Amino acid sequence: AIQAVSSTATYFDILLGVPPTFTIDTAQLRRNFLRLQQAVHPDSVSQLSAVERQLAESQSSWINHAYSTLKDPLQRAHYMLELRNAAVREDDNVVDPELLSEIMETREAIEAAGSEAEIAALREINDEEIKETVRMLEQAFGAEEMEEAQHLTRRLQYLKRVDQTIQEWELGPPIEEYH
């Protein structure tokens, strides 16, 4: 029988069967996600009562959200900090001036880029920064250093914004339609 998700269950409990940890097996996460989604899929629960079908729909939504949170390192870091009552908020004014300067320089370099080769070089640098920050987050969470994890989460947040700016440059300016 389909039951409601426990209010004390974490995404880690349901999708991985482990306590919250930043370092996860993403292949196992995907396998467990697919298995759980199949169990609550409308085709799988069509013969159940209306209440159970509604619970299955609710679980499906919860499982989707849990999966999208855990598969993305930035969302996973935010979630883990929330679980530890150390959430990083968008409006936090705790900003590292060195990081801010670095991000501004990178954004200026993106804006000044005149070729795809220049953008590709900037993307490569940013991708390496993201990988290094994720590696450092693994260490910070592993050592239960929440202040450092908060700092690195903010850094990763900025780096992801730079990545988005690079993607927007690659797409080019929006095309305006004239009628």
Side-chain angles (χ1 to χ4, degrees):
I2 306 268
Q3 297 177 8
V5 176
S6 167
S7 62
T8 60
T10 69
Y11 296 161
F12 294 93
D13 295 331
I14 303 300
L15 284 175
L16 291 166
V18 298
T21 177
F22 189 77
T23 306
I24 62 170
D25 179 344
T26 54
Q28 185 65 46
L29 174 68
R30 176 127 179 95
R31 283 191 299 275
N32 291 353
F33 164 72
L34 293 172
R35 180 181 47 77
L36 289 168
Q37 274 299 34
Q38 185 177 14
V40 294
H41 189 274
D43 291 343
S44 300
V45 298
S46 63
Q47 303 302 313
L48 298 177
S49 71
V51 170
E52 286 178 308
R53 286 194 309 272
Q54 194 170 13
L55 281 170
E57 186 178 319
S58 174
Q59 276 190 14
S60 176
S61 175
W62 193 92
I63 291 165
N64 281 332
H65 187 69
Y67 177 69
S68 66
T69 299
L70 295 184
K71 77 176 180 174
D72 178 70
L74 178 57
Q75 289 186 44
R76 185 167 63 245
H78 277 292
Y79 180 63
M80 287 188 63
L81 288 169
E82 263 180 51
L83 291 175
R84 288 169 170 77
N85 295 318
V88 170
R89 306 260 180 255
E90 283 287 328
D91 58 354
D92 278 354
N93 290 328
V94 183
V95 178
D96 175 359
E98 194 175 302
L99 173 61
L100 213 47
S101 174
E102 178 187 333
I103 297 300
M104 288 176 63
E105 286 175 25
T106 303
R107 284 184 176 263
E108 287 170 9
I110 293 167
E111 288 174 17
S115 70
E116 290 192 22
E118 289 177 79
I119 283 293
L122 291 169
R123 175 181 286 290
E124 191 173 318
I125 291 166
N126 197 61
D127 286 351
E128 285 304 313
E129 289 285 328
I130 288 172
K131 285 180 192 167
E132 178 63 15
T133 303
V134 168
R135 189 189 64 70
M136 292 165 62
L137 270 166
E138 289 175 351
Q139 291 176 338
F141 278 115
E144 293 290 324
E145 295 171 357
M146 290 307 110
E147 280 188 37
E148 180 67 4
Q150 288 172 322
H151 168 73
L152 291 167
T153 299
R154 284 186 198 93
R155 177 175 179 73
L156 184 56
Q157 203 165 279
Y158 282 114
L159 292 170
K160 290 287 193 168
R161 286 188 192 133
V162 167
D163 186 57
Q164 187 175 0
T165 303
I166 290 171
Q167 286 177 20
E168 289 167 4
W169 188 100
E170 291 171 334
L171 292 173
I175 298 171
E176 293 185 31
E177 291 184 38
Y178 296 99
H179 297 281

